[in-house]
Amino acid sequence: MPTILGSNQYGKAENRVVKITRDGDTHHIKDLNVSVALSGDLDDVHLTGSNANCLPTDTTKNTCFAFAKEHGIESAEQYGIALARHFVDSQPSIHRSRIRIEEYAWERIAGSDAGSNFIGADEVKHSFVRKGQETRLVQVTYDGETFEVLSGLKDLTVMNTTNSEFWGFIKDKYTTLQEDYDRILATSLSTWWRHNWTGEDDQRTPNWNKSYEQAKKHILQAFVETYSLSLQQTLFQMGSRVINNRTEIDEIRFSAPNKHHFRQDLSAFGLENEAKDGAVYWAADRPYGLIEATILRDGAEQRIPVDMTNL
């Protein structure tokens, strides 16, 4: 039976790009993990071994670092858009580029109140500690005409210690879970959202950093303000809050592992362990419920792949 070549792409993955910007004595960090994937007129490299249309992956790596120096990194989105456009517009054989970026946040370490800085320093503005919350995500795809920009985050762990219930579910002969009217709701969010900006001349470019911070704010506020009867309900409220408040976002997808906290049975020790009195819980890491959902603006097309966020 003859064989044919299907879809394919190539590039350099996980380029660790760290850009330091010095504004006088005040320094700023952009810490990125950048992966490049290119596709196009590349049949021959697979079928005959000809590399005539193949831009080396080492070149894509070098470009990531050079662009960080030449163009700076105002935002991960801006940087990814510049890279994606460059690979397609500069290489006739490359018809589509996809840039995926993880951004790791740092925050400044303040000096001591005693002012015991090293000799010659009035105020330390170049020391940082790595933040331990979420990792910011970006994916930019460009086909020579239009862009698709996805932003998102992963590993944002949140918890409500009350205002969560779970009851009224199906029960069969294998069901052992008890209904709960005052439970802990905790999850570690992974989410992508799609901007409706496509790079057309008449479109206003979003403020990418502000858009990210506002989307995250609405996700967290919805988590706080939703009296939850299920994690599914909470996800829908978080997504709806983002869509309703951010006009530049048309679609958002969540993957949320339920970080189960079960009240420990202490009856053998003559102890009651009720939530209303401040209970002790067993934090289970696996198995866990995995809740996923996409929320769309009315009339928008679902385009974020379902396997981009699931575990």
Side-chain angles (χ1 to χ4, degrees):
M1 295 288 290
T3 59
I4 60 173
L5 178 66
S7 61
N8 58 87
Q9 60 187 20
Y10 79 105
K12 189 73 83 175
E14 300 202 44
N15 301 284
R16 291 290 283 107
V17 179
V18 178
K19 174 70 169 68
I20 306 299
T21 300
R22 296 192 174 194
D23 181 13
D25 291 334
T26 302
H27 296 185
H28 306 274
I29 298 176
K30 283 291 185 180
D31 185 355
L32 308 182
N33 189 22
V34 186
S35 294
V36 177
L38 308 177
S39 56
D41 185 12
L42 299 167
D43 287 4
D44 284 350
V45 70
H46 292 272
L47 302 178
T48 70
S50 171
N51 294 317
N53 287 340
C54 182
L55 183 72
T57 64
D58 189 67
T59 303
T60 69
K61 175 204 71 177
N62 293 341
T63 305
C64 292
F65 290 98
F67 264 51
K69 181 63 176 177
E70 292 177 343
H71 304 286
I73 306 175
E74 178 183 335
S75 68
E77 286 88 350
Q78 162 268 324
Y79 172 74
I81 288 167
L83 281 174
R85 178 185 284 119
H86 166 79
F87 288 124
V88 173
D89 290 353
S90 67
Q91 301 298 325
S93 61
I94 302 302
H95 302 160
R96 182 178 181 271
S97 59
R98 188 197 71 199
I99 311 298
R100 281 185 177 172
I101 300 173
E102 297 180 343
E103 180 175 350
Y104 312 116
W106 295 79
E107 62 183 0
R108 202 174 305 281
I109 302 174
S112 68
D113 294 336
S116 57
N117 299 327
F118 54 84
I119 295 174
D122 296 327
E123 185 178 355
V124 177
K125 298 180 180 179
H126 58 257
S127 299
F128 300 84
V129 60
R130 172 85 171 263
K131 282 187 176 180
Q133 289 189 359
E134 84 280 6
T135 298
R136 181 172 171 176
L137 305 173
V138 171
Q139 176 175 291
V140 178
T141 305
Y142 178 59
D143 62 5
E145 295 183 359
T146 61
F147 289 91
E148 180 182 80
V149 180
L150 306 181
S151 300
L153 55 84
K154 67 177 181 178
D155 301 329
L156 181 63
T157 302
V158 291
M159 175 189 286
N160 281 331
T161 54
T162 190
N163 286 358
S164 176
E165 306 178 14
F166 190 61
W167 53 270
F169 45 81
I170 295 173
K171 302 177 183 68
D172 66 11
K173 65 179 181 179
Y174 301 113
T175 301
T176 59
L177 184 68
Q178 299 298 305
E179 294 186 339
D180 199 337
Y181 297 87
D182 189 356
R183 68 169 183 166
I184 285 178
L185 180 66
T187 185
S188 182
L189 292 171
S190 176
T191 180
W192 287 96
W193 53 86
R194 178 172 57 83
H195 298 270
N196 47 42
W197 181 86
T198 59
E200 297 178 25
D201 292 338
D202 60 345
Q203 285 186 306
R204 181 179 178 181
T205 303
N207 181 325
W208 301 111
N209 290 327
K210 180 179 179 181
S211 178
Y212 175 83
E213 292 300 332
Q214 289 293 307
K216 176 185 170 185
K217 180 192 77 173
H218 290 301
I219 289 169
L220 291 177
Q221 287 180 346
F223 182 78
V224 170
E225 295 170 6
T226 300
Y227 190 105
S228 180
L229 300 178
S230 66
L231 183 51
Q232 288 92 328
Q233 178 196 18
T234 300
L235 288 190
F236 184 77
Q237 291 300 319
M238 290 192 291
S240 296
R241 186 79 67 97
V242 172
I243 296 295
N244 290 333
N245 286 278
R246 301 307 304 175
T247 58
E248 74 276 16
I249 297 172
D250 278 356
E251 176 185 6
I252 183 168
R253 179 166 178 79
F254 292 95
S255 181
N258 201 329
K259 298 290 188 180
H260 295 298
H261 289 71
F262 300 108
R263 277 188 292 125
Q264 191 72 10
D265 183 2
L266 302 178
S267 60
F269 315 117
L271 296 173
E272 293 186 358
N273 194 31
E274 298 297 327
K276 61 183 177 63
D277 299 323
V280 175
Y281 296 83
W282 163 47
D285 63 344
R286 56 179 60 85
Y288 50 83
L290 180 59
I291 314 302
E292 298 179 298
T294 298
I295 298 91
L296 298 160
R297 187 177 303 282
D298 188 20
E301 176 187 0
Q302 182 171 331
R303 298 183 60 179
I304 300 175
V306 297
D307 62 352
M308 278 194 70
T309 53
N310 63 1
L311 302 178

